[in-house]
Amino acid sequence: MNISELYELFLHNPKVTTDSRNCPVGSLFFALKGERFDGNQYAAKALASGSSYAIIDNPEYVTGERTILVDDVLTTLQSLAIRHRKAIGIPIIGITGTNGKTTTKELLAAVLSTKYNLLYTEGNLNNQIGVPLTLLRLNHEHEMAVIEMGASHPGDIKELVNMVQPNYGIITNVGRAHLEGFGSFEGVVKTKGELYDYMRATKGKIFIKKENVELQAIAKGIEQITYGQSDDSFTSGHIVSSNPFLTFDWKQQGKIHLVETHLIGAYNLDNVLVAVAVGRYFKIPAERISRAIANYAPTNNRSQLKKTENNELIIDAYNANPSSMKLALENFISMPVQPKAVILGDMRELGSASDDLHAEIIEQLKTGRFDKVFLCGEIFSKVAGQFPSYTTTEELITRLKEHPLKGYHILIKGSHGMALEKTVEFL
């Protein structure tokens, strides 16, 4: 069956699943493979559970006309998504970057949803599987879409933008992350810049921070909609306070709008300003933009403030890299609260530079005047120096059980794989 025929089948069965445990009636089951599983083995179960058809790439699992054999299931899923994106044809904003992708996506969704029927990436479905699944959720009632794109290797963004085919692009920033896959900071810039390459080639537009030197250097020849602190930006704004929540102002036609957010950290200024810029560009009233941003509250351990019986926590344990770790520490240092404790977990996928980059964080800790420091993970344990360290999160939890903290303001920051959110119930 070719893509045109499969697309006709999809139009009559417009629900897609890759999980045999969740097969809505009338869905198409795509039997994806991974390192530890083979979806082909579950094709029959998917059909019995409600799926109308199962797309497989192993002939051993053909059971009749409701199993559709293709060369490669993932490639077929992606090709179907491309076909569908072209058929729907609505404006799409594509987002990538080292830090702030998901927060920016959520803020854009909050603002744009006040005017448009919007589709946007759910959770963190921003890779070669998540992006096509998101595109296949598009329907003719949608007026716009915001699609997040992640990358950990060169070429990842190029592959994703060719699926998404965005009309507008946003790179939130570039920093040292996934160096194991990218090889160097220059590799990060080049890969994230693949979004700009697409926008340049298709004469699309980008929302870009006016003062971001790295991004401006690779944005030549693209129409820009700027945001930042410069008065000559399309959208300009400034921090009013950040203790702990960010309050900022922005200006439109001489009128200053003050917004109190539920976002922790001055580093979120760029994220809220690009949301304002997008809202303004798409003709959303200023008051509606400000209200949407003020009402947005982060979830999923992304800079969440949590008051427990014993302490006040800033939980930022969804992800971590050197740039986001340094910004989180800088913000915490600037907060006029006492006493302060930090719990930091290893930053993953940094390759050969990992030890040195963790050592840089140690130097920052030395100047922070924190009352308590707890380091967690094998890498931090190697470079911890004067600070107490624990190889695993479980070891740290044992310490917290034996010597509970009480009355502290605590920053919890680390890579998702460290699972530092497990410490919360002991704080």
Side-chain angles (χ1 to χ4, degrees):
M1 182 176 287
N2 61 37
I3 288 297
S4 295
E5 293 170 325
L6 184 59
Y7 188 60
E8 285 300 315
L9 205 62
F10 167 74
L11 292 178
H12 292 92
N13 302 271
K15 295 178 183 177
V16 169
T17 181
T18 60
D19 186 350
S20 62
R21 298 164 298 182
N22 179 23
C23 294
V25 174
S27 60
L28 300 181
F29 172 72
F30 282 78
L32 296 175
K33 294 191 294 289
E35 291 181 6
R36 300 178 182 177
F37 66 91
D38 182 357
N40 287 282
Q41 297 175 355
Y42 302 98
K45 179 184 175 184
L47 293 172
S49 299
S51 291
S52 295
Y53 296 90
I55 292 82
I56 62 174
D57 51 18
N58 186 335
E60 292 181 17
Y61 295 93
V62 173
T63 57
E65 61 182 21
R66 291 171 64 204
T67 48
I68 299 170
L69 183 65
V70 299
D71 290 334
D72 183 87
V73 170
L74 178 57
T75 301
T76 301
L77 177 70
Q78 294 169 344
S79 298
L80 186 68
I82 292 170
R83 178 68 177 261
H84 187 53
R85 189 274 178 267
K86 289 178 179 177
I88 295 294
I90 61 172
I92 292 183
I93 302 173
I95 300 176
T96 190
T98 301
N99 303 315
K101 292 186 295 296
T102 300
T103 299
T104 298
K105 176 257 298 182
E106 297 283 342
L107 286 166
L108 261 61
V111 171
L112 291 170
S113 293
T114 65
K115 181 177 180 181
Y116 299 96
N117 186 333
L118 185 80
L119 176 82
Y120 61 98
T121 302
E122 290 182 344
N124 202 32
L125 293 174
N126 63 8
N127 62 9
Q128 277 73 7
I129 296 172
V131 166
L133 289 176
T134 300
L135 291 171
L136 288 168
R137 287 172 47 224
L138 283 168
N139 62 53
H140 287 288
E141 293 181 0
H142 290 123
E143 298 170 289
M144 287 187 69
V146 176
I147 309 292
E148 179 183 337
M149 299 174 288
S152 55
H153 296 87
D156 281 354
I157 295 300
K158 182 178 181 180
E159 183 179 351
L160 294 176
V161 294
N162 285 332
M163 277 187 254
V164 174
Q165 300 169 30
N167 309 89
Y168 304 89
I170 298 169
I171 301 177
T172 56
N173 48 55
V174 285
R176 294 178 293 181
H178 299 295
L179 296 182
E180 203 166 59
F182 291 125
S184 65
F185 174 68
E186 291 73 24
V188 176
V189 176
K190 186 176 186 300
T191 301
K192 300 298 184 184
E194 289 166 357
L195 173 58
Y196 283 179
D197 294 340
Y198 180 89
M199 304 315 298
R200 188 180 293 108
T202 58
K203 301 192 184 313
K205 299 177 183 179
I206 59 173
F207 294 88
I208 183 172
K209 183 179 179 181
K210 192 174 185 67
E211 301 92 346
N212 191 310
V213 176
E214 290 92 355
L215 294 182
Q216 289 290 349
I218 60 172
K220 308 302 181 189
I222 313 173
E223 184 175 344
Q224 298 187 8
I225 304 151
T226 60
Y227 61 92
Q229 298 187 53
S230 305
D231 288 338
D232 58 347
S233 298
F234 173 73
T235 293
S236 65
H238 302 86
I239 295 170
V240 175
S241 65
S242 181
N243 182 33
F245 295 121
L246 170 67
T247 297
F248 74 103
D249 61 28
W250 64 278
K251 190 190 307 182
Q252 178 170 290
Q253 297 175 334
K255 183 178 179 181
I256 294 177
H257 300 268
L258 184 70
V259 185
E260 297 178 357
T261 78
H262 291 90
L263 294 162
I264 292 174
Y267 49 84
N268 273 304
L269 179 66
D270 292 348
N271 301 331
V272 294
L273 287 182
V274 69
V276 173
V278 169
R280 286 193 63 206
Y281 182 83
F282 288 102
K283 310 299 183 187
I284 295 174
E287 291 73 17
R288 204 183 295 177
I289 293 171
S290 294
R291 193 182 314 120
I293 294 172
N295 289 339
Y296 169 73
T299 57
N300 204 16
N301 301 315
R302 297 178 187 274
S303 295
Q304 288 179 256
L305 183 69
K306 182 180 179 68
K307 292 183 180 180
T308 71
E309 189 177 329
N310 297 318
N311 303 287
E312 190 164 305
L313 316 178
I314 298 174
I315 309 167
D316 197 2
Y318 188 84
N319 213 342
N321 55 58
S323 53
S324 68
M325 184 81 79
K326 288 178 179 179
L327 287 170
L329 286 170
E330 286 172 7
N331 182 73
F332 194 44
I333 289 168
S334 70
M335 289 173 56
V337 295
Q338 291 294 336
K340 294 179 183 178
V342 293
I343 296 174
L344 303 184
D346 279 356
M347 302 174 288
R348 301 284 180 83
E349 299 180 31
L350 294 178
S352 60
S354 184
D355 288 2
D356 290 340
L357 294 172
H358 282 77
E360 289 180 14
I361 299 298
I362 297 299
E363 291 305 309
Q364 187 178 9
L365 288 172
K366 290 177 182 176
T367 65
R369 297 183 180 179
F370 299 112
D371 299 280
K372 297 272 188 188
V373 172
F374 303 92
L375 301 174
C376 188
E378 295 180 359
I379 309 169
F380 262 134
S381 293
K382 285 195 288 183
V383 297
Q386 69 196 59
F387 299 113
S389 62
Y390 305 85
T391 306
T392 66
T393 302
E394 287 68 30
E395 288 180 17
L396 173 58
I397 288 172
T398 299
R399 163 63 175 77
L400 295 173
K401 287 180 181 177
E402 294 172 350
H403 303 281
L405 295 179
K406 192 165 187 176
Y408 282 84
H409 298 264
I410 306 171
L411 170 66
I412 305 170
K413 177 76 174 171
S415 283
H416 186 60
M418 293 302 301
L420 289 183
E421 66 275 7
K422 292 179 180 178
T423 63
V424 172
E425 65 176 291
F426 306 101
L427 297 169

